[in-house]
Amino acid sequence: MEIKSHTIELVEDPFGILSGNRYELFLHIDVPEDDELFSEKGLKIKVLLIEDEKGYHLSHYHIIEAITDRILDFELEEDEEQLVEAYCIAQAKEYQNAKEE
């Protein structure tokens, strides 16, 4: 699996009841044709990343068919999940630094 691009957005908490920050990321990915995740329609992963007193961690994710926006019933393997989490954390830190400048 290769992450080709992403979008990131800080999720606002209009009621102020959640601690920390939440980031919604869409990762556009490529997977080899022989991978069970492969889809000719393309794939993206919708990720909710939380930053709180414990640090950064994935709340949840969905694997989505890019053209149809259909949620697929697949889970990432442990190493893929770690790759996604590390990528998202790096992007959230970069996003936060850019907003502070």
Side-chain angles (χ1 to χ4, degrees):
M1 179 177 78
E2 181 182 356
I3 301 170
K4 301 298 275 182
S5 64
H6 72 276
T7 60
I8 184 170
E9 184 177 315
L10 182 62
V11 178
E12 297 296 326
D13 177 15
F15 302 107
I17 57 175
L18 302 172
S19 65
N21 293 318
R22 269 108 181 113
Y23 300 92
E24 181 180 70
L25 296 96
F26 283 93
L27 309 180
H28 299 273
I29 62 170
D30 277 345
V31 294
E33 286 185 29
D34 61 347
D35 191 306
E36 68 179 311
L37 282 179
F38 179 78
S39 171
E40 291 180 2
K41 297 175 183 170
L43 294 172
K44 59 187 175 181
I45 303 174
K46 179 180 178 180
V47 178
L48 182 61
L49 181 73
I50 296 175
E51 175 192 14
D52 58 17
E53 64 278 350
K54 299 179 215 167
Y56 290 91
H57 53 95
L58 289 181
S59 172
H60 66 273
Y61 65 86
H62 295 289
I63 301 170
I64 302 170
E65 210 168 49
I67 292 176
T68 64
D69 280 337
R70 184 173 64 102
I71 295 174
L72 303 177
D73 190 23
F74 285 104
E75 290 187 16
L76 297 172
E77 294 179 9
E78 187 176 336
D79 62 326
E80 292 170 328
E81 192 171 319
Q82 290 171 351
L83 170 74
V84 165
E85 183 176 45
Y87 183 89
C88 290
I89 290 170
Q91 298 311 314
K93 288 178 178 180
E94 187 175 307
Y95 178 85
Q96 209 47 20
N97 288 339
K99 288 195 70 92
E100 292 173 1
E101 292 179 358

